[in-house]
Amino acid sequence: MSNPEQDAQGHPLPVRDRIDVSAPVARPSLIGLSASALEDAVEDLGVPLRQCPMRARQLWNWFYARGATDFEQMSSISKELRATLSAHHTIARPVITDAQVSNDGTRKWLMRLTHGVEVETVFIPDQERGTLCISSQVGCTLNCTFCHTGTQPLVRNLTADEIVGQVLVARDELGEWPLPGEPAPTRRITNIVMMGMGEPLYNFENVRDALLLIADGEGIALGKRRVTLSTSGVVPMIKRTGDEIGCMLAISLHAVRDELRDELVPLNRKYPLAELMDACRNYPRVSNAKRITFEYVMLKGINDSPADARALVQLIKGIPAKINLIPFNPWPGTPYECSDWETIEVFGDIVNRAGYASPIRTPRGRDISAACGQLKSESKKKSAAELRRERLAAGA
Ligand code: SAH
Ligand code: SF4
């Protein structure tokens, strides 16, 4: 077997010529492409130009409306084209390596993407809605001190197909695809929140492409109002989020003074509160019908006083907003505790009396570590040598 770090004579290759064994060698995926990119991909396979839009539409329908997992299932596409498609492309989904169900019905899946890289995706069923919480990165470069994901260094950004793939796998697991000749089952996923692992605005292009597809009426068809992106405050990307995605925006606020926010959300040192609030005021199409959600994790004795609540109201003045109070979810080794229930209620009342909805988010899935900020996978950044050893051992 050839060594990717040596030439045919066994001499070491210069670094730039080595084969990157950590890069996926699989055929490129057709999942996650925009409609026009899918047409281009079909054209590249030699399909006559005038047929490309129709073929792309058929594929799109098989991927997102019917949940096909294999080109062979696509009965409306000729055998030859199916063979060409599978010789050049894949539509493989992430693979579930662990599944847990909480006693409150919350489900958490650990999904394997490429070799050694895993992310967590969570489904939270409620009376009239079902929310799927998806991840944008494996690990996170930021280190918010109260967040478990923040203790896992960034392994890598997810690609658009891996982000969309989490939704497709969840739909498989929840039995959401129509069976041939039967009416479509009721959709259990009604909302998508990008609040899993990672900072989505540090992976903007992939997140944008995936969320557009998830919202698109011809794609997964949830609609932009049912898709929420949560950011810790990457100010320069907030306008682009509104312009290019147009989804609902959630800001992880957690503190109303720079000094405290610098500590809890260290990104604040780069983009302080005044800049963050300006970006929110100017969020494209923000209105009373399309409010910004401010997330505020309740940390005992740290950010939960009535004075903090009053300062919060002042800070967001003029921004159509709703405040989501999140009881802190503990994780092993954390120095923080959750505020007492009564303290959270007093805080919420002050915000509410100032005219802002301030629901307290019921913790869900705590028993399986599926609640906000508890997600973390074992994936670590591996060296090329480690990956190669693993591949050889697996006979790949
Ligand atoms: N990185 C993005 C999205 C993922 S975090 C962001 O920070 O917005 C999703 C939400 O959970 C954020 O508001 C985050 O601050 C919050 N969170 C993180 N750790 C938490 C914990 N231990 N308990 C409760 N909420 C937490
Ligand atoms: Fe990253 Fe968000 Fe956790 Fe902060 S709260 S460490 S940005 S995942």
Side-chain angles (χ1 to χ4, degrees), residues 57-240:
R57 259 198 316 278
Q58 283 177 322
L59 286 171
W60 187 271
N61 185 264
W62 280 108
F63 300 162
Y64 306 120
R66 300 167 84 163
T69 50
D70 193 318
F71 291 111
E72 276 315 300
Q73 297 164 332
M74 304 182 183
S75 50
S76 56
I77 293 176
S78 72
K79 220 168 172 219
E80 295 73 44
L81 182 54
R82 292 201 308 252
T84 314
L85 283 162
S86 65
H88 293 87
H89 290 285
T90 177
I91 52 169
R93 311 238 215 278
V95 177
I96 294 180
T97 51
D98 191 28
Q100 284 175 274
V101 185
S102 157
N103 50 27
D104 68 17
T106 299
R107 299 174 67 155
K108 179 170 88 166
W109 298 288
L110 183 65
M111 299 196 192
R112 193 177 65 226
L113 307 169
T114 47
H115 206 80
V117 174
E118 293 177 321
V119 277
E120 293 190 309
T121 306
V122 178
F123 176 66
I124 309 141
D126 226 325
Q127 257 136 7
E128 25 350 298
R129 55 158 64 188
T131 306
L132 187 71
C133 177
I134 59 177
S135 295
S136 57
Q137 300 183 309
V138 184
C140 188
T141 47
L142 302 173
N143 305 96
C144 303
T145 46
F146 51 85
C147 173
H148 202 197
T149 310
T151 65
Q152 180 182 7
L154 181 72
V155 177
R156 69 169 172 81
N157 281 336
L158 300 194
T159 58
D161 77 284
E162 290 167 338
I163 298 170
V164 173
Q166 295 171 64
V167 184
L168 300 181
V169 170
R171 296 193 74 186
D172 293 341
E173 290 301 297
L174 297 169
E176 273 202 357
W177 303 111
L179 293 170
E182 287 187 23
T186 315
R187 291 185 73 152
R188 297 183 61 196
I189 303 171
T190 60
N191 295 69
I192 299 271
V193 292
M194 184 145 265
M195 294 185 184
M197 295 163 67
E199 170 46 62
L201 296 189
Y202 276 166
N203 182 16
F204 185 78
E205 274 83 11
N206 289 319
V207 164
R208 174 196 59 202
D209 294 352
L211 293 187
L212 286 174
L213 205 153
I214 289 166
D216 188 309
E218 305 280 312
I220 295 174
L222 282 170
K224 290 189 179 179
R225 315 260 331 224
R226 292 174 175 271
V227 174
T228 303
L229 178 152
S230 171
T231 176
S232 55
V234 186
V235 166
M237 303 308 289
I238 289 182
K239 183 166 177 340
R240 282 189 70 188

Side-chain angles (χ1 to χ4, degrees), residues 279-296:
C280 291
R281 275 192 190 90
N282 296 318
Y283 187 63
R285 291 178 297 281
V286 65
S287 66
N288 267 335
K290 206 173 167 203
R291 290 181 221 181
I292 293 179
T293 300
F294 288 99
E295 296 162 281
Y296 197 95

